[in-house]
Amino acid sequence: MKLVEYIIGQLINGLNAGSIYALIALGYSMVYGIAKMINFAHGDIIMVGSYALYVFIVLMKMPVIVAILLTIGFCAILGITIERIAYKPLRKAPPLAVLITAIGVSFFLQNASLLIFKANPIPFGTIIKVDAVNIGNISISGLTIVTLVVTFICMAILTLFINKTKAGSAMRAVSEDKGAAQLMGINVNRTISLTFAIGSALAAIAGILFLSQYPSLKPTMGALPGIKAFVAAVLGGIGNVPGAMLGGMLLGIIENTAKAYISTEVSDAIVFGVLILVLLLKPSGLLGKKRIEKV
Amino acid sequence: MALLKVTDLQVYYGVIQAIKGISFEVNAGEVIALIGANGAGKTTILHAITGLVPVKSGSIEFEVPKTGMNDKDIVTETVNLRKTPAHKIVSLGMAHVPEGRRIFSQLTVLENLKMGAYTRNDKEEMEQTLKKVYKRFPRLEERKNQVAGTLSGGEQQMLAMGRALMSHPRIILMDEPSMGLSPILVEEIFDIIKEISKSGTTVLLVEQNAKKALSIANRAYVLETGNIVLEGDAKELMNDESVKKAYLGE
Ligand SMILES: Nc1ncnc2c1ncn2[C@@H]1O[C@H](COP(=O)(O)OP(=O)(O)OP(=O)(O)O)[C@@H](O)[C@H]1O
Ligand SMILES: [Mg+2]
């Protein structure tokens, strides 16, 4: 009995970490789907969101809920702005130019926060104060419950949006064929902006959850979760929304299992090992479809 | 006055000039055929009209009913499509069935059709139009929840046409609708084009199948490497010796 409880506990821990990866991975995947680019600055949105939350709550003394909403809004606008300034002029440029630009944006964001907030980590008390829940002998922390519930809600809303609304269909149409989408009257620029806004808003939410678990701010804090979420997106099949969700969750579980049973030091290596293995067996990722070739 | 008037159109791909200053017009109610060999520039012309490729020079004038006027007197204004962003053209009353169909293969048939009505906000009217499209293409209704990428080539062509009709176009541009279809389906598609024309929609038709295109067209233009080399009544062109030799395989 003890063993089963232990395994369930570890699974929940894995889903907890995986939720954050999944929320970030969604942004990578959606942006890739529509703009056919890897937005390497995406992880840094988590960092910007965290600092924004800190500014709103600690420096400006705003109520938590207001601060959270402002943080999400701020990141959404930042995402749109980055696309407009840095990526839009490069729509027809070779992929390598876009990739380097994205890395440049990432450095820019990190250095900007270094300039403003300095390199010393800033401690930040958790804003999520929910009691732990005991189910049998398993105790789930309040933070974990909030993380899982928030992630579930975000995914449900996003799935409904993409599959059931006009704007969501337009987004899928644009990701498939921008020219044909324009012939339908879809404003491609606006659709791309919307995608960056949604991806960045989800990254902001992930950032808030991440900050609650690792309550310390530093300019490079977005890099590692960012790169792992990217792995998750590729694992699930980049460009594929359910794939990003699955990839994120799987990555969290694998990483957590590796940490629990093997060693914390090599858990990252194992994560990347799994990625390589999956890509060898299925290059398009777990849920990635091979593109239907047009005749 | 012409519904669509293209004057001295020039289009470049990089340094290569694909369209070398052509002019033509389409009057309301006509079926106009644009014929020419592979690479003559037919697709480029349609893409230039609907804003999918940039135009170097020339004008593309489209007659659009003036909004806000009372219904009795029909007042139109001329819109220069060169200055209109691609995504704003369909709501002016111009639909384009592109070469290779370009349906959204991951969307369902119904979702594709709804994308065709993207700019139309009246839901009830949309349902009415959908019914009409289903009536014209019963196959699409049978498969409305099927992912469009799994349709056969002929069905995809019907979907592309149905999708264009969903926007209530006054003019519809079609780029090789018969491409890759069996002879029976080609007949069917051309019958449908005739019906579309009869119902009052103007048609600008690009075709490799010159014989069929000329048989349903009022007038036609013959394109050769970016220039219009011949134009006139479709029936007369059908009997033109050079057209017969080059395009009708006689
Ligand atoms: N995107 C492009 N970049 C460079 N050149 C192009 C491009 N698209 C078309 N061309 C060139 O422009 C010319 C006209 O092409 P277009 O596609 O308009 O011909 P078409 O008459 O439609 O031919 P087809 O009957 O084969 O469809 C061709 O020489 C083609 O190679
Ligand atoms: Mg063509």
Side-chain angles (χ1 to χ4, degrees), chain A residues 141-205:
Chain A
S141 80
L143 188 53
T144 300
I145 291 170
V146 170
T147 302
L148 294 179
V149 169
V150 166
T151 303
F152 178 79
I153 292 172
C154 287
M155 288 180 174
I157 292 175
L158 184 69
T159 305
L160 283 178
F161 171 77
I162 291 176
N163 292 308
K164 298 285 176 229
T165 68
K166 191 168 161 179
S169 305
M171 206 175 249
R172 285 182 289 146
V174 170
S175 80
E176 224 183 286
D177 187 335
K178 292 189 181 55
Q182 281 180 313
L183 293 180
M184 303 299 112
I186 298 167
N187 185 335
V188 168
N189 286 333
R190 210 189 297 157
T191 308
I192 292 178
S193 289
L194 179 65
T195 308
F196 272 84
I198 292 174
S200 303
L202 291 172
I205 294 169

Side-chain angles (χ1 to χ4, degrees), chain A residues 32-51:
Chain A
Y32 182 83
I34 217 146
K36 308 292 176 245
M37 64 163 290
I38 308 292
N39 178 16
F40 265 115
H42 186 59
D44 297 297
I45 302 286
I46 304 160
M47 176 273 295
V48 174
S50 300
Y51 277 103

Side-chain angles (χ1 to χ4, degrees), chain B residues 175-194:
Chain B
D175 199 340
E176 305 209 29
S178 74
M179 185 166 56
L181 303 185
S182 70
I184 298 173
L185 265 177
V186 171
E187 287 298 324
E188 203 175 311
I189 290 287
F190 274 93
D191 283 344
I192 289 164
I193 298 172
K194 269 192 272 183

Side-chain angles (χ1 to χ4, degrees), chain B residues 37-44 47 99-100 175-176 179 206 208:
Chain B
N38 288 114
K42 307 178 295 293
T43 300
T44 303
H47 280 184
E99 183 174 59
D175 199 340
E176 305 209 29
M179 185 166 56
V206 159
Q208 288 274 336

